[in-house]
């Protein structure tokens, strides 16, 4: 997505349309920032799950929303943001990338003009596949039924599954707030 924005920026600037090129560059840079925020949130969520359960296999998890409600909420925010759903930050940068692709009619070159809608279709496909993957992950790990696994559902130290600690939650919370703020107030940054 970032490279699509940069690529369209170069194409538009190269063909003498700096305003459309600037839009593509803004989309790419904003998606870079957004990606850093929501991907960090998802990694922290995954680390909290690993720390609390000791499990790495998604199919061994289930029902974690009852034992880890804070982590479940923050992970949901990250999953929605990476899936580009409004009002979160992933939506804004993907929308700007789509808006850049919709500027294709101003190009004189027919080949390039016809390729940009294919880039937009690729972007839509990537967004749909991302949403599908995160629906599966969230559904299995948090909303699914607890699994009967050969390993008891306990942390490596032998403690029952617990939610993330205060500092872990703080780390996830400020990133979740970042996803929301970057989605609601994109022109402020």
């Amino acid at each position: 997505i970032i490279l699509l924005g940069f690529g369209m920026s170069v194409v538009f600037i190269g063909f003498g349309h700096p305003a459309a090129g600037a839009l593509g560059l803004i989309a790419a840079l904003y998606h870079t920032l957004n990606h850093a925020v929501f991907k960090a949130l998802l990694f922290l969520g995954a680390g909290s799950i690993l720390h609390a359960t000791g499990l790495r296999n998604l199919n061994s998890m289930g029902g974690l929303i009852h034992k880890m409600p804070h982590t479940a909420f923050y992970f949901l925010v990250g999953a929605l943001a990476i899936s580009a759903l409004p009002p979160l930050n992933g939506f804004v940068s993907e929308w700007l990338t789509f808006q850049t692709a919709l500027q294709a009619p101003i190009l004189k070159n027919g080949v390039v003009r016809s390729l940009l809608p294919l880039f937009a279709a690729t972007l839509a496909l990537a967004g749909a596949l991302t949403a599908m993957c995160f629906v599966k992950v969230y559904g299995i790990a948090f909303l699914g039924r607890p699994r009967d696994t050969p390993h008891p559902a306990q942390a490596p130290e032998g403690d029952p599954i617990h939610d993330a600690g205060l500092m872990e939650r703080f780390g996830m919370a400020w990133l979740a707030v970042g996803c929301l703020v970057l989605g609601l107030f994109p022109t402020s940054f």
Side-chain angles (χ1 to χ4, degrees), residues 78-91:
L80 294 174
I82 200 170
S83 298
L85 294 175
L88 300 171
N89 58 349
F91 174 77

Side-chain angles (χ1 to χ4, degrees), residues 2-170:
I2 296 166
L3 291 178
L4 281 174
F6 275 127
M8 288 188 290
S9 175
V10 169
V11 166
F12 282 116
I13 290 172
F15 280 101
H17 302 287
L23 181 63
L25 183 61
I26 290 168
L29 293 175
Y30 202 62
H31 195 72
T32 303
L33 173 65
N34 290 337
H35 196 271
V37 174
F38 58 65
K39 192 61 83 80
L41 175 57
L42 291 168
F43 274 117
L44 285 176
S48 293
I49 293 168
L50 176 63
H51 180 257
T53 65
L55 299 172
R56 294 178 187 263
N57 185 354
L58 182 63
N59 293 322
S60 299
M61 299 176 197
L64 294 179
I65 195 168
H66 301 293
K67 303 264 186 179
M68 305 179 74
H70 293 100
T71 302
F73 173 74
Y74 297 135
F75 196 90
L76 179 63
V77 171
L80 294 174
I82 200 170
S83 298
L85 294 175
L88 300 171
N89 58 349
F91 174 77
V92 174
S93 53
E94 287 198 28
W95 179 255
L96 288 172
T97 307
F98 274 123
Q99 291 301 313
T100 305
L102 292 176
Q103 303 302 312
I106 66 173
L107 294 172
K108 301 281 189 240
N109 188 317
V111 174
V112 176
R113 186 175 55 229
S114 63
L115 286 176
L116 288 183
L118 293 176
F119 293 157
T122 303
L123 179 62
L125 178 63
L129 291 174
T130 301
M132 181 187 72
C133 289
F134 278 95
V135 164
K136 178 182 178 183
V137 168
Y138 196 83
I140 290 173
F142 292 103
L143 302 176
R145 300 181 90 187
R147 307 292 192 270
D148 294 326
T149 60
H151 309 296
Q154 295 185 348
E157 298 86 26
D159 296 334
I161 295 175
H162 57 282
D163 207 349
L166 182 63
M167 292 310 290
E168 288 174 305
R169 283 185 298 197
F170 178 74

